[in-house]
């Protein structure tokens, strides 16, 4: 992805017409659109193809299975037009390696979850986050996911992966994370969902976030 705005929209709506409308109006303000199970289960995998007209698509399926199942999932998602897939790292190096191999063969990207942005991530995920980040670097994934709600963790993860991998950072806005703080801590992109797509003017909110980001880069 090109680092034009450093902003990714997390589009967790359930209606295809609404998803397309929002994507169209924010297209100039985001570098990618992240879709997950809510939208895909409600509308079908074909929505990825439709949304890809407006921005690169990151499929946030947090894929977490044996290598062959990971392969099958990633192949279908890339075939639908996604530019990247988010996978979990806790399933181990072989599952991750297979996902990365599929991505490379399609000239696509894999992002590995190191730690999620909600409070419950502290229960189990944080203890494994740094080891997962190292594994993501060793397996040459495109990047990792680290929480904007805890910018100190973004900084820790950046120190582990170095400059070769990118960091996409969710939790800005409704969850309380700061776009500026995440970028300062080492994130390449911040991910914002409800603050944009639930607003009366998604484009204006996205534009304001981009302005805040540009002040610190």
């Amino acid at each position: 992805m090109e680092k034009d705005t450093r902003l990714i929209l997390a589009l967790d709506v359930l209606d295809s017409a609404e998803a397309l409308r929002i994507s169209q109006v924010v297209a100039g303000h985001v570098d990618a659109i992240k879709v997950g199970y809510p939208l895909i289960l409600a509308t079908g995998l074909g929505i990825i193809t439709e949304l890809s007209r407006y921005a690169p698509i990151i499929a946030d399926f947090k894929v977490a299975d044996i290598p062959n199942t990971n392969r099958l999932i990633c192949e279908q998602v890339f075939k639908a037009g996604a530019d990247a897939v988010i996978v979990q790292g806790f399933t181990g190096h072989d599952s991750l390696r297979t996902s990365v191999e599929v991505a490379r063969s399609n000239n696509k990207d894999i992002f590995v979850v190191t730690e999620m942005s909600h409070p419950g991530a502290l229960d189990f995920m944080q203890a494994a986050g740094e080891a997962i980040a190292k594994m993501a670097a060793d397996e040459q994934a495109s990047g990792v996911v680290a929480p904007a709600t805890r910018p100190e963790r973004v900084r820790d993860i950046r120190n582990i992966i170095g400059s070769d991998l990118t960091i996409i950072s969710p939790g800005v806005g409704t969850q309380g994370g700061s776009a500026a703080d995440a970028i300062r801590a080492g994130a390449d992109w911040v991910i914002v969902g409800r603050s944009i797509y639930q607003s009366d003017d998604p484009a204006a909110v996205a534009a304001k976030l981009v302005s805040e980001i540009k002040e610190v880069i």
Side-chain angles (χ1 to χ4, degrees):
M1 297 184 298
E2 296 294 329
K3 290 182 183 178
D4 292 331
T5 69
R6 306 289 189 101
L7 179 63
I8 296 169
L9 169 65
L11 190 58
D12 290 323
V13 299
L14 301 177
D15 179 78
S16 59
E18 183 182 12
L20 290 165
R21 177 187 64 81
I22 293 170
S23 297
Q24 184 176 20
V25 300
V26 305
H29 305 292
V30 301
D31 287 336
I33 298 169
K34 182 175 77 70
V35 299
Y37 288 119
L39 179 59
I40 302 304
L41 292 175
T43 66
L45 194 59
I47 192 67
I48 290 177
T49 308
E50 295 185 69
L51 293 175
S52 66
R53 292 180 292 172
Y54 302 111
I57 303 299
I58 300 172
D60 185 6
F61 290 169
K62 297 184 176 69
V63 182
D65 219 306
I66 65 171
N68 187 60
T69 304
N70 276 20
R71 176 180 63 80
L72 293 171
I73 293 170
C74 289
E75 285 175 348
Q76 291 303 307
V77 176
F78 290 136
K79 184 178 178 181
D83 295 274
V85 175
I86 293 176
V87 306
Q88 292 283 11
F90 61 75
T91 48
H93 69 276
D94 53 349
S95 293
L96 175 56
R97 182 176 301 150
T98 297
S99 302
V100 171
E101 288 172 351
V102 174
R104 282 189 189 143
S105 68
N106 287 275
N107 196 28
K108 306 292 186 179
D109 295 313
I110 292 292
F111 294 101
V112 185
V113 177
T114 60
E115 186 179 319
M116 294 168 69
S117 54
H118 65 302
L122 298 175
D123 293 344
F124 302 106
M125 296 189 79
Q126 189 172 94
E130 294 178 14
I132 290 173
K134 184 178 185 305
M135 180 179 65
D138 290 343
E139 297 297 338
Q140 299 182 319
S142 300
V144 300
V145 183
T149 48
R150 291 181 287 279
E152 72 280 1
R153 295 297 292 163
V154 175
R155 187 173 292 106
D156 292 342
I157 297 302
R158 173 56 73 196
N159 288 336
I160 291 169
I161 66 174
S163 59
D164 291 337
L165 275 64
T166 59
I167 296 177
I168 60 176
S169 193
V172 171
T174 302
Q175 291 190 64
S178 160
D181 288 348
I183 295 292
R184 287 192 191 99
D188 296 283
W189 284 275
V190 294
I191 302 170
V192 185
R194 285 167 286 177
S195 297
I196 294 176
Y197 69 74
Q198 289 183 345
S199 72
D200 293 332
D201 191 342
V205 175
K208 184 175 184 295
L209 284 162
V210 172
S211 294
E212 293 173 4
I213 292 168
K214 288 185 175 180
E215 288 179 1
V216 299
I217 59 176

